[in-house]
Amino acid sequence: MNIRLKTPAQIKKLKKAGRVVAEVLDLISENVRPGVTTKKLDDLAAAHFKKRNARAAFLGYQGFPAHICVSIDDEVVHGIPSDRRLEEGQIVSVDVGSIVDGYYGDSARSFAVGGITNGAGKLLEATREALNRGIEACVIGNRLGDLSAAIQRYAESRGFSVVRDLVGHGIGTRMHEEPQVPNFGEPGTGIELEEGLVLAIEPMINAGKYEVRMLSDGWTIVTDDGSLSAHFEHTVAITSNGPEILTLR
Ligand code: MG
Ligand code: MG
């Protein structure tokens, strides 16, 4: 495996890219409401990237046609912004990637559109907390499987399921670097977590079964059983002071 550990100077650059991602997500959180089109959210993101002299990492990535991914309800990830309008009661997952001076940031959040059901609220809360549990396991000497298992254990303890077909990843001067970071696994297995390892940790948690499939647009991943899905992601550096979240303001 070709894992590229990052120096403190490189982590600083990743933090700059991460900050822009956090700004875009904050901007989107202020604009998620019933009636807004997902294209409008994409336009807001595009304008902010421009203002900050950053590039949208997803635009053109393997041909992806927009600046951000916007996935509604049973859509897990990779939804394409369009003229579709958000509706009261939906949950919407927004994934944002940036490039600043050649360094990448990657983060995602799921939002409630207006009032949502208790069940949907619990899914959002559980997915956010599953990410926290994964981040807490980002300690030198732990193994990757400890991180994966922490996410899985928490999500399943809340009665939800963990998507298997999509995983997190190392990140740096490319969006996807080694290693892959599954959201399920066995404690005590996998590579040892070392200082300078930077990971995009991104649990995708389903209210129903874990199976997913792709829509005919060739991008959008949906739950196979039509159940709701949520997605939270941070870019995290493993340091001698513990985990450092890079996708914050
Ligand atoms: Mg992402
Ligand atoms: Mg990612």
Side-chain angles (χ1 to χ4, degrees):
M1 220 182 308
N2 175 28
I3 292 174
R4 302 150 152 218
L5 298 175
K6 311 302 187 294
T7 64
Q10 288 176 311
I11 288 173
K12 222 171 163 181
K13 290 190 167 188
L14 288 166
K15 215 172 169 177
K16 274 178 85 176
R19 181 186 304 267
V20 176
V21 171
E23 289 168 0
V24 170
L25 282 166
D26 283 353
L27 180 64
I28 282 166
S29 78
E30 290 159 16
N31 286 277
V32 163
R33 67 177 79 89
V36 73
T37 67
T38 57
K39 174 74 167 65
K40 172 71 181 172
L41 299 179
D42 192 71
D43 290 345
L44 289 167
H48 192 77
F49 281 123
K50 196 171 177 194
K51 184 171 144 194
R52 298 286 267 112
N53 284 317
R55 278 167 55 208
F58 303 160
L59 181 65
Y61 183 83
Q62 294 180 0
F64 189 76
H67 300 80
I68 59 174
C69 300
V70 183
S71 309
I72 299 170
D73 284 345
D74 64 322
E75 298 173 354
V76 181
V77 286
H78 304 166
I80 302 171
S82 70
D83 293 331
R84 184 174 174 188
R85 287 179 193 282
L86 297 182
E87 294 169 26
E88 175 94 19
Q90 290 176 330
I91 60 172
V92 60
S93 300
V94 178
D95 197 347
V96 178
S98 75
I99 314 171
V100 175
D101 296 333
Y103 286 80
Y104 283 71
D106 191 5
S107 180
R109 296 182 205 160
S110 295
F111 303 100
V113 184
I116 58 173
T117 64
N118 273 344
K122 281 181 179 159
L123 177 66
L124 296 188
E125 204 180 291
T127 308
R128 191 190 296 113
E129 182 57 23
L131 171 58
N132 288 339
R133 300 294 173 107
I135 293 170
E136 282 169 10
C138 284
V139 175
I140 294 170
N142 263 358
R143 289 181 178 272
L144 190 60
D146 297 322
L147 184 170
S148 302
I151 293 171
Q152 179 179 16
R153 209 180 294 136
Y154 184 78
E156 292 181 353
S157 78
R158 299 294 307 270
F160 300 120
S161 69
V162 173
V163 172
R164 304 293 201 269
D165 290 357
L166 299 145
V167 296
H169 48 95
I171 183 167
T173 52
R174 288 177 301 173
M175 189 159 63
H176 295 118
E177 297 187 357
E178 290 179 15
Q180 293 199 341
V181 183
N183 300 298
F184 58 97
E186 293 296 323
T189 65
I191 62 158
E192 219 175 271
L193 303 183
E194 290 180 76
E195 182 166 9
L197 187 62
V198 179
L199 303 174
I201 304 170
E202 49 179 317
M204 289 150 269
I205 306 296
N206 296 348
K209 297 200 172 102
Y210 68 70
E211 287 87 355
V212 298
R213 62 188 165 85
M214 189 187 282
L215 294 185
S216 58
D217 63 12
W219 281 105
T220 313
I221 305 290
V222 297
T223 58
D224 198 43
D225 63 7
S227 65
L228 294 178
S229 187
H231 181 209
F232 282 84
E233 175 179 29
H234 269 308
T235 299
V236 179
I238 288 147
T239 80
S240 54
N241 296 320
E244 183 180 6
I245 300 173
L246 304 181
T247 34
L248 293 175
R249 298 187 79 148

